[in-house]
Amino acid sequence: MLKNILSAIGAIALVAMVYMLISFGGMMSKVSSLHPDAMGHYMTMFEKVLETGNSAEAMIRKVRINDDVSTEDAIDTMRSIAEENNFLVVGDAKMSIKSSITAPDGKRYIRILSFCAPSIAEEFIGYSESFGAFMPCRILIVEDDEGNRWLYTMAMELMLYGGKPLPDDMLKMAESVRGLMYGMMDAAATNGDYDPEDAE
């Protein structure tokens, strides 16, 4: 009887192993069709989730606004850079801007600017309507609990590199949008020069 039980266990283990090999092999073949950098970016996101326990934190890029830069100056910088690069400001949601969390009975400062280049948007929606769900590009200006001011936007790496490689011309456009968004955040936060090549 023991021999029969061991045989059954062996058979089950063999079936499970074959199933795992087939499943894993199929998965690996799909992974190999993705952009070469895809898995690295997914792992970076997952590591952030493990570190913070916050999935949203893993999907954003944020920059602290320097204490010597006013909120309005930071916003004016972003608007100016967007205009210079043929990006439209298509939204300005002033959710809470009349006070600061640091003031007595004050409320947290919250404002969201939305940016878009219609020609680029049209190209990406033509490639996949799903890209439209990420439009327009947005930057959140918000205070934390201590009154520090931050710029937040969606991290764009998975959109660029998380799937099968984009056509070269589309990838170039997407990287230029990422450079613009990240670069103008950095410039606005520091009242520094706009340099999309240095933005990461």
Side-chain angles (χ1 to χ4, degrees):
M1 183 174 179
L2 180 59
K3 183 178 180 180
N4 291 338
I5 293 175
L6 292 174
S7 297
I9 292 173
I12 292 170
L14 180 61
V15 170
M17 186 179 297
V18 170
Y19 174 78
M20 289 176 63
L21 286 172
I22 292 173
S23 299
F24 188 68
M27 184 184 297
M28 288 307 295
S29 67
K30 292 178 181 178
V31 168
S32 66
S33 69
L34 302 180
H35 190 283
D37 296 339
M39 294 308 295
H41 288 299
Y42 281 113
M43 286 305 300
T44 297
M45 183 180 74
F46 187 57
E47 288 167 2
K48 193 68 173 180
V49 172
L50 293 179
E51 175 190 339
T52 65
N54 185 342
S55 59
E57 186 76 17
M59 294 185 283
I60 58 91
R61 180 184 190 263
K62 63 182 181 180
V63 181
R64 185 178 179 275
I65 300 176
N66 287 359
D67 292 336
D68 60 350
V69 177
S70 73
T71 302
E72 287 304 318
D73 282 347
I75 290 170
D76 288 345
T77 295
M78 290 188 288
R79 284 180 171 275
S80 176
I81 292 171
E83 182 179 345
E84 290 169 3
N85 288 272
N86 300 314
F87 255 59
L88 303 178
V89 179
V90 295
D92 185 353
K94 301 173 182 177
M95 300 172 67
S96 174
I97 65 168
K98 294 184 178 180
S99 64
S100 167
I101 199 171
T102 59
D105 300 320
K107 297 177 67 176
R108 188 188 308 273
Y109 186 102
I110 305 173
R111 187 171 179 176
I112 302 173
L113 295 179
S114 300
F115 304 89
C116 189
S119 60
I120 295 177
E122 185 177 357
E123 286 280 348
F124 274 82
I125 290 175
Y127 179 77
S128 170
E129 293 89 349
S130 298
F131 278 109
F134 298 96
M135 299 175 187
C137 298
R138 292 176 293 273
I139 294 178
L140 165 70
I141 306 99
V142 65
E143 286 180 311
D144 63 21
D145 292 340
E146 285 73 44
N148 299 307
R149 295 156 303 136
W150 294 82
L151 303 176
Y152 280 73
T153 195
M154 181 189 73
M156 299 183 185
E157 284 68 35
L158 288 182
M159 188 176 72
L160 271 66
Y161 310 116
K164 293 182 179 179
L166 293 170
D168 290 343
D169 58 334
M170 293 190 67
L171 179 60
K172 185 175 181 179
M173 282 191 289
E175 289 176 335
S176 71
V177 171
R178 180 184 62 169
L180 172 62
M181 294 295 291
Y182 290 7
M184 69 181 180
M185 288 172 68
D186 293 344
T190 62
N191 199 26
D193 295 329
Y194 166 64
D195 190 348
E197 298 302 323
D198 285 345
E200 294 181 359

